[in-house]
Amino acid sequence: MNILLLSMPDSFEHMPSVAIRMPNGALASLAGNVDPHHTVAIADLILVQRRVRETLERLVHEVQPDVIGLSVMTFQRHTALRIIELVRRLRPAARVVVGGYDASLAPDAYTHPSAGVDFIVRGEGELTFRELVRALERGTDLATVAGLSFKCGAGFTHNPDRPVNGLDDGGVRLPNRAARVLSGYTMVGRQVDVVETSRGCTFDCSFCSIIEMRGRNFHTYDFHRVLADIRDARAHGARAIFLVDDNITLNVRRFEGLCRAIIEAGLNDLDYTVQAMTSAIANHGRTLAPLMRQAGFRYVFLGIENILEEDLEFLRAEAKNRRRGEGASGGNAAVTAIEYLHANKMYVVGGLIVGNPQDTREAIEANLAFARRYVDVPYIQHPTPYPRTPMTKTFREQGLITNERLEDYDGTTAVVRTAHLDSDEIEFLRWRADRWIKLKHLPVALIHTPLFALRNGLKMLRYTFRGTTIRSILGLEDERKSFERYRALRRAERVYL
């Protein structure tokens, strides 16, 4: 069978395509886990944001797919449904499968006949998709495929959930990166790829979709498999690796062992980016941070979440951000973690969430001031009511959701208000600070890749300050006019078909 796997072109505000075009690791993993006699093509449409239609027309003609699979996040749902409509016209006989967070947590959004979907893969997809392809090939009963929803008459049948995979039995094979048919994955000028060493998290943050999809658990791959995955990524041209684990620092001793394994294998010639908890770095940074730097880690996405205790309580993130020995009401570990990382020449991508239900202007400004002082690259988001998260229930009960347009659920469009501020004001405050914090780090990023800087430095600057005029910077024009221009440009950028 011929299989075409697609990721959506919609990108996050903090990951401009001029600088960051990350591959969808889930699709490569799906491709690596179907039986090898099938022909699989992966198209990450983020690489062709302004050529989506023509690219799909070409690929459908070349691949002649029997199965077309789409990986979808909530803010990409609108685009996904339009892409399904297009590929249905181009290849009417193809079976359409959707998966990813949105399809797993909101399957009913894809069951209406107008959606054009035949199958929904819920939860982890590798084994479910493999069994689905086998069933289609052999004409066997779909009712035995755990984790699958499928069209049955006028409605859909939802099979029982598939149990979470323990990852230690070798059942999930290595990704198939050779199946990618588009090129151009970059992270500030360096070819980038993604590698996964573990899945899951045992915390219960109110904003998290992961625990809603797979529960509170933590499973790991053995180091031999992880190193083989990194080698494969490097063999396919990667010079930077993003470790996409949900919470790799949940087991600090294992993470230290991974760093040593990377060093011993000679794979520390790559630039690594990782997501980490502040408490883990703060409590173990004296020994962990130097080891990370030796292993090649350059950027650390630090889940600070918020610097105010009452907001951390709402986000259910107190334990992730507490220093050891501080007790239940202990202090935020963010500053200590950042100091360890900076002392070892690593850069901090500061993950903060502002606009929580009781936030005042002062509360938001306190977090923005913290970001200005301590973080290198801001990743400041607004709380977003994704399907089935505890946060969503709270915002609905309090009547704080102001925007139901899912294409705006990208994390940097404020779609909820607080008890004290409307959503537009919250987003304005974030936008006003965000540009200048990014500008501070821009020279550092560009010096690391001088050729990229020569070619794209001006584009990155224009992207960061799009909508902003000289008159606004000089105080001769109300900044809100620049803000409105910025929002209009963002809306225009989201039109891909």
Side-chain angles (χ1 to χ4, degrees):
M1 296 176 70
N2 296 332
I3 301 169
L4 176 61
L5 301 177
L6 305 171
S7 71
M8 301 302 96
D10 316 69
S11 56
F12 290 105
E13 165 73 5
H14 291 314
M15 300 175 70
S17 58
V18 64
I20 302 174
R21 287 174 288 188
M22 203 75 67
N24 184 307
L27 294 187
S29 189
L30 289 179
N33 280 277
V34 297
D35 295 321
H37 63 276
H38 298 294
T39 300
V40 186
I42 298 171
D44 283 301
L45 298 177
I46 193 173
L47 299 172
V48 290
Q49 284 182 323
R50 298 300 149 213
R51 305 190 311 278
V52 171
R53 184 179 296 274
E54 62 188 84
T55 300
L56 287 172
E57 289 172 347
R58 175 177 61 81
L59 288 175
V60 169
H61 175 73
E62 292 174 356
V63 177
Q64 295 290 298
D66 304 295
V67 175
I68 299 174
L70 296 86
S71 177
V72 189
M73 289 185 280
T74 298
F75 79 105
Q76 300 170 334
R77 187 190 297 176
H78 176 74
T79 301
L81 293 174
R82 294 198 64 192
I83 286 175
I84 292 170
E85 184 181 359
L86 173 61
V87 297
R88 278 288 187 202
R89 290 200 304 268
L90 295 172
R91 184 75 170 169
R95 309 289 189 93
V96 173
V97 188
V98 295
Y101 284 123
D102 194 49
S104 297
L105 299 180
D108 290 349
Y110 298 92
T111 58
H112 193 276
S114 64
V117 173
D118 297 303
F119 306 101
I120 302 169
V121 170
R122 310 186 318 270
E124 296 172 306
E126 290 92 351
L127 304 186
T128 301
F129 189 68
R130 179 196 300 169
E131 291 181 19
L132 168 62
V133 172
R134 286 175 179 171
L136 292 176
E137 182 183 29
R138 299 167 183 172
T140 54
D141 188 4
L142 295 170
T144 63
V145 182
L148 181 71
S149 299
F150 60 96
K151 189 186 294 184
C152 185
F156 263 71
T157 295
H158 301 283
N159 292 346
D161 292 341
R162 180 175 294 276
V164 171
N165 195 298
L167 304 183
D168 55 359
D169 62 357
V172 178
R173 306 169 192 152
L174 284 171
N176 178 7
R177 296 180 173 89
R180 294 168 178 162
V181 293
L182 303 176
S183 60
Y185 303 108
T186 60
M187 185 169 180
V188 194
R190 297 195 167 200
Q191 186 170 329
V192 68
D193 215 319
V194 296
V195 168
E196 180 183 54
T197 87
S198 66
R199 290 181 184 176
C201 182
T202 58
F203 288 93
D204 64 344
C205 299
S206 66
F207 53 83
C208 185
S209 298
I210 295 163
I211 58 173
E212 296 304 312
M213 191 167 85
R214 56 173 289 131
R216 294 171 64 183
N217 51 67
F218 181 69
H219 297 289
T220 61
Y221 290 113
D222 67 57
F223 288 169
H224 293 296
R225 185 195 189 281
V226 173
L227 296 177
D229 202 1
I230 295 173
R231 289 190 186 97
D232 184 67
R234 186 171 67 173
H236 282 88
R239 294 298 172 263
I241 299 290
F242 180 23
L243 297 181
V244 295
D245 300 40
D246 302 315
N247 193 347
I248 199 171
T249 52
L250 198 60
N251 184 336
V252 172
R253 297 304 171 212
R254 176 182 179 274
F255 185 42
E256 289 176 337
L258 176 62
C259 290
R260 293 190 186 95
I262 288 171
I263 296 165
E264 291 169 6
L267 294 170
N268 55 338
D269 58 340
L270 303 169
D271 279 349
Y272 292 89
T273 298
V274 68
Q275 303 174 108
M277 289 191 299
T278 59
S279 60
I281 303 296
N283 294 331
H284 302 274
R286 191 179 303 279
T287 55
L288 178 60
L291 193 58
M292 289 171 64
R293 188 69 195 103
Q294 188 181 353
F297 287 86
R298 179 172 175 81
Y299 285 95
V300 178
F301 181 100
L302 205 56
I304 301 165
E305 319 307 7
N306 203 281
I307 64 162
L308 302 178
E309 195 66 27
E310 56 269 33
D311 277 341
L312 286 175
E313 184 178 349
F314 166 71
L315 296 168
R316 299 185 189 173
E318 309 103 306
K320 288 171 50 183
N321 292 277
R322 187 179 298 132
R323 292 193 298 271
R324 178 190 294 149
E326 295 287 348
S329 59
N332 195 301
V335 173
T336 304
I338 291 168
E339 287 173 347
Y340 277 129
L341 294 172
H342 281 169
N344 287 277
K345 298 181 173 57
M346 286 177 280
Y347 298 106
V348 174
V349 182
L352 289 155
I353 302 173
V354 299
N356 300 302
Q358 295 303 315
D359 273 1
T360 60
R361 186 185 187 94
E362 291 73 24
I364 292 174
E365 291 286 14
N367 279 279
L368 297 176
F370 180 92
R372 290 187 193 96
R373 180 175 178 183
Y374 289 105
V375 309
D376 302 295
V377 182
Y379 205 101
I380 305 167
Q381 297 193 85
H382 306 298
T384 305
Y386 295 119
R388 288 169 43 186
T389 63
M391 174 183 284
T392 300
K393 184 174 183 290
T394 300
F395 278 113
R396 287 216 179 277
E397 288 175 348
Q398 297 184 16
L400 297 175
I401 298 175
T402 61
N403 184 343
E404 301 281 358
R405 284 169 45 89
L406 295 185
E407 51 267 43
D408 289 335
Y409 282 32
D410 57 3
T412 45
T413 302
V415 297
V416 299
R417 58 168 290 115
T418 78
H420 307 282
L421 294 171
D422 65 34
S423 54
D424 284 356
E425 182 68 11
I426 296 164
E427 188 177 338
F428 171 71
L429 293 173
R430 192 269 312 162
W431 166 84
R432 189 174 63 178
D434 197 73
R435 301 165 299 161
W436 297 102
I437 305 171
K438 288 176 179 173
L439 180 65
K440 180 179 67 174
H441 185 68
L442 194 57
V444 176
L446 296 180
I447 288 169
H448 187 55
T449 51
L451 287 178
F452 176 83
L454 288 172
R455 293 174 186 154
N456 298 288
L458 188 57
K459 289 181 184 176
M460 287 185 66
L461 188 63
R462 285 174 177 165
Y463 179 88
T464 302
F465 282 85
R466 64 198 190 284
T468 302
T469 64
I470 297 296
R471 285 175 57 80
S472 174
I473 293 172
L474 295 176
L476 301 174
E477 178 186 76
D478 186 347
E479 274 190 302
R480 291 179 187 277
K481 291 185 178 180
S482 291
F483 175 59
E484 291 305 325
R485 282 192 292 268
Y486 151 79
R487 295 216 296 187
L489 287 168
R490 284 191 67 190
R491 285 192 291 270
E493 290 166 356
R494 293 176 184 154
V495 179
Y496 304 106
L497 285 170

